[in-house]
Amino acid sequence: MAFKIASSPHLSRSLQTSTVMQRVVLCALPGVATQCYFFGWGVLIQVILAITVALLSEALVLKLRKRPVTDTLKDNSALLTALLLGIAIPPLAPWWLIVIGVLFSIVVVKHLYGGLGQNIFNPAMAGYVMLLISFPVQMTSWVAPMMLTSQPVDLLGSLQLIFLNTSLSDIEAYKLGFDGLAMATPLDTIKTDLSMGLTSIESFSRAIFNDGFGVGWFWVNMAYLAGGLVMLKLKVIRWHIPVGVLASLFVCASAGYLLNPDTHAGPLFHLFSGATMLAAFFIATDPVTAATSVRGRLLFGGLIGLLVYIIRTYGGYPDAFAFAILLANLCAPFIDHYMKPRTYGHRSRN
């Protein structure tokens, strides 16, 4: 029996899980292609490796649990988890990093709790956080955008660095810009600069911010935004969580910028940097781990946006969506309990 993603009153035919997951993957492809364009072949290699490990590990676990393997794999949930985790890690990270992350996401986070529909945390984000805490050096070794790096890496070089080189020394060359300076992600750059006493204006004068948002990251976010809008059009997701996430982040960032523009980045920078659009449309909307009622979904999304801004501004991690989503997952049952929708057919008393 297929796992149906729908809530009462069940007046219309709901999409099957496999169809939902398939459409989410297809809508994410423009964003994946944009990442490959700006950050090289490593993105695609990590995604392919993640999908392979996810399907094999899920099949093995299903076999051990004496569950139908083929029918379950067809729900495409493992495929989506692998895709999200593959695009979240640095493109030239060693092969064993994505293998460990995918195994943790599929075997522990998903199947240890009973499989699809039973997990309390988003598997991809739980795997990402586990990797970030356990292997911080490898997980923060992002390469510079292809057009800014002093030494672009080709397909063969990407394969060699991912599968044959477990040292970070050779990757350092691909993290340098034309001026020989390190090219961290835009969020990491501005966070580091502000901690060193520089103003946001001084930080934005760096080459990586020559378009105002961070070279490559603006277009990556635009691509995921386009894919998210298509999902809304196809009714694969509902608008409440993405709107809650983006509106909350925009309001918080605007307030911080108005209070002190020298030490806070503007709201548009927060919206179009890092994993903002990917998380708002493709991750936070996971129907298993999110709130279910209309008001609950708005609050769930708003909580994520608030947590992202707090962690980005005052925490120790430049991009905070994985932590924010996992914390919101913990709150989802509480939100559902206190924001139950009115029983269908019930008439309120005057």
Side-chain angles (χ1 to χ4, degrees):
M1 182 179 293
F3 173 66
K4 300 290 186 179
I5 301 175
S7 59
S8 59
H10 307 289
L11 292 179
S12 60
R13 182 176 180 271
S14 60
L15 294 175
Q16 290 188 345
T17 306
S18 58
T19 303
V20 171
M21 300 295 178
Q22 183 183 65
R23 291 182 179 180
V24 173
V25 170
L26 291 176
C27 290
L29 292 183
V32 177
T34 307
Q35 277 190 242
C36 291
Y37 174 78
F38 283 103
F39 299 102
W41 288 99
V43 177
L44 184 59
I45 296 171
Q46 299 288 358
V47 168
I48 294 174
L49 180 58
I51 291 174
T52 303
V53 175
L55 295 178
L56 290 176
S57 60
E58 176 134 298
L60 178 60
V61 173
L62 291 170
K63 192 74 173 178
L64 294 174
R65 296 180 62 198
K66 298 181 180 179
R67 299 291 181 88
V69 176
T70 304
D71 292 340
T72 305
L73 287 178
K74 288 180 180 178
D75 67 14
N76 296 318
S77 60
L79 174 66
L80 179 58
T81 296
L83 175 68
L84 294 176
L85 191 55
I87 59 181
I89 71 169
L92 298 182
W95 63 270
W96 50 264
L97 194 71
I98 190 64
V99 170
I100 293 174
V102 170
L103 288 175
F104 181 81
S105 298
I106 298 297
V107 178
V108 177
V109 182
K110 182 179 178 181
H111 282 284
L112 190 63
Y113 287 90
L116 181 64
Q118 306 298 320
N119 51 289
I120 62 175
F121 296 109
N122 183 287
M125 293 299 94
Y128 177 87
V129 168
M130 185 277 294
L131 291 177
L132 185 59
I133 295 175
S134 303
F135 310 101
V137 176
Q138 288 82 2
M139 286 294 290
T140 54
S141 296
W142 275 86
V143 297
M146 296 288 286
M147 60 282 302
L148 293 182
T149 184
S150 58
Q151 186 177 345
V153 59
D154 56 12
L155 175 59
L156 180 59
S158 299
L159 289 170
Q160 290 176 339
L161 286 168
I162 293 173
F163 290 101
L164 301 179
N165 193 337
T166 57
S167 172
L168 295 174
S169 57
D170 289 345
I171 298 180
E172 294 299 321
Y174 304 106
K175 295 170 61 180
L176 300 177
F178 291 116
D179 54 3
L181 298 177
M183 301 289 290
T185 62
L187 285 169
D188 190 44
T189 298
I190 193 168
K191 191 176 187 68
T192 302
D193 287 348
L194 292 176
S195 68
M196 296 174 60
L198 299 178
T199 65
S200 59
I201 296 177
E202 291 172 330
S203 182
F204 277 111
S205 65
R206 295 184 183 276
I208 197 172
F209 295 113
N210 69 355
D211 60 357
F213 297 95
V215 175
W217 292 99
F218 171 77
W219 294 109
V220 168
N221 275 276
M222 285 296 292
Y224 284 120
L225 172 60
L229 295 177
V230 173
M231 288 198 297
L232 290 174
K233 178 67 175 179
L234 296 175
K235 297 182 178 180
V236 174
I237 60 173
R238 298 184 181 183
W239 60 268
H240 310 91
I241 293 178
V243 168
V245 172
L246 299 179
S248 176
L249 182 57
F250 180 84
V251 171
C252 292
S254 297
Y257 186 74
L258 290 174
L259 288 173
N260 194 342
D262 289 337
T263 58
H264 294 79
L268 292 181
F269 173 76
H270 278 281
L271 291 180
F272 292 98
S273 294
T276 301
M277 296 301 170
L278 171 66
F281 288 95
F282 292 89
I283 303 176
T285 52
D286 174 20
V288 175
T289 57
T292 56
S293 66
V294 172
R295 290 186 303 160
R297 288 194 294 267
L298 285 169
L299 178 59
F300 180 84
L303 177 62
I304 292 175
L306 173 63
L307 289 172
V308 166
Y309 181 74
I310 292 174
I311 298 173
R312 279 183 176 181
T313 306
Y314 305 106
Y317 295 94
D319 201 354
F321 267 103
F323 292 97
I325 289 173
L326 293 183
L327 291 173
N329 291 160
L330 284 174
C331 299
F334 179 84
I335 294 173
D336 284 338
H337 179 75
Y338 286 99
M339 290 195 168
K340 294 178 181 178
R342 187 167 54 184
T343 305
Y344 184 67
H346 173 78
R347 179 180 296 177
S348 61
R349 295 180 181 181
N350 295 327

